[in-house]
Amino acid sequence: MKKSIIALSALALVVSLGACKPKQSTYRQVYEKAKQREIAQNQSSNHAPEADENDIIVSKPAQSSVQMRRERLTPSEGEDANRLNRYSVVIGSFQNRTNALSLKERMEEAGFKPILAENEHGMIRVIVASFMSREEAVSSREQIKERFAPQFQDAWLLEREAR
């Protein structure tokens, strides 16, 4: 009887320890979410990207300042380069292409024609509108923020640098 209790206890211990083994995919998912959160926090201080040496601040009378980032962009694979103008409204920035495509599809369902573009650091920008003039881009950004409040309150402007 003692031997069977010991054997059952040992078997229960082995099974319980085996069930506690962490799965690598779970860690990977948590890591990806944390990384995306960190990137978003770095880029959305006061609902705009953090300022660095590539940033300029544009002010308009009777309005708050609008922060704009300058980057070299190339349209992602399969995107129309002609739709990418000098000033763009960015609603999302991702390292993971799947996440960028998901946001692009959501915006297409909302009636927009977003474009994906990649910067020199490998970040994929989800651009919801692109214009030749800064004023049009600022106006579009404000309209998107109003229409999708509070979802895209951190939408920001990007000026495309010449190659």
Side-chain angles (χ1 to χ4, degrees):
M1 176 102 169
K2 272 187 171 180
K3 288 182 183 181
S4 63
I5 291 175
I6 293 173
L8 285 174
S9 297
L11 182 62
L13 182 63
V14 169
V15 169
S16 66
L17 290 178
C20 291
K21 182 179 177 185
K23 298 190 184 284
Q24 187 175 6
S25 62
T26 304
Y27 282 124
R28 182 76 179 166
Q29 289 173 349
V30 171
Y31 172 78
E32 287 292 325
K33 285 181 184 177
K35 191 71 174 167
Q36 291 298 328
R37 217 174 302 125
E38 180 183 336
I39 291 168
Q41 286 174 349
N42 287 341
Q43 292 179 344
S44 66
S45 172
N46 294 332
H47 302 296
E50 283 188 16
D52 65 16
E53 68 276 355
N54 294 327
D55 292 348
I56 58 173
I57 296 189
V58 180
S59 16
K60 259 182 141 176
Q63 277 193 343
S64 62
S65 64
V66 175
Q67 194 168 26
M68 183 175 302
R69 171 169 250 144
R70 286 187 191 155
E71 291 181 347
R72 284 195 171 91
L73 287 179
T74 56
S76 287
E77 188 176 322
E79 299 288 345
D80 183 8
N82 295 327
R83 293 185 39 229
L84 192 59
N85 294 312
R86 184 171 179 189
Y87 300 97
S88 299
V89 180
V90 179
I91 59 167
S93 183
F94 302 93
Q95 288 181 324
N96 184 320
R97 184 169 178 77
T98 304
N99 293 343
L101 287 170
S102 175
L103 180 56
K104 179 183 177 186
E105 289 171 3
R106 284 186 12 226
M107 293 309 290
E108 286 173 338
E109 290 170 3
F112 288 89
K113 294 181 180 178
I115 183 171
L116 300 181
E118 194 169 332
N119 70 7
E120 61 268 12
H121 303 292
M123 293 298 295
I124 301 170
R125 309 297 193 193
V126 180
I127 297 171
V128 74
S130 193
F131 303 94
M132 291 305 293
S133 81
R134 178 179 21 221
E135 292 76 21
E136 287 177 300
V138 169
S139 174
S140 176
R141 174 183 166 260
E142 294 307 315
Q143 289 173 359
I144 288 167
K145 285 172 66 172
E146 285 176 26
R147 179 175 173 188
F148 292 98
Q151 189 175 13
F152 295 125
Q153 292 304 302
D154 57 349
W156 53 279
L157 298 179
L158 185 139
E159 181 179 4
R160 184 179 185 192
E161 288 184 351
R163 297 203 128 232

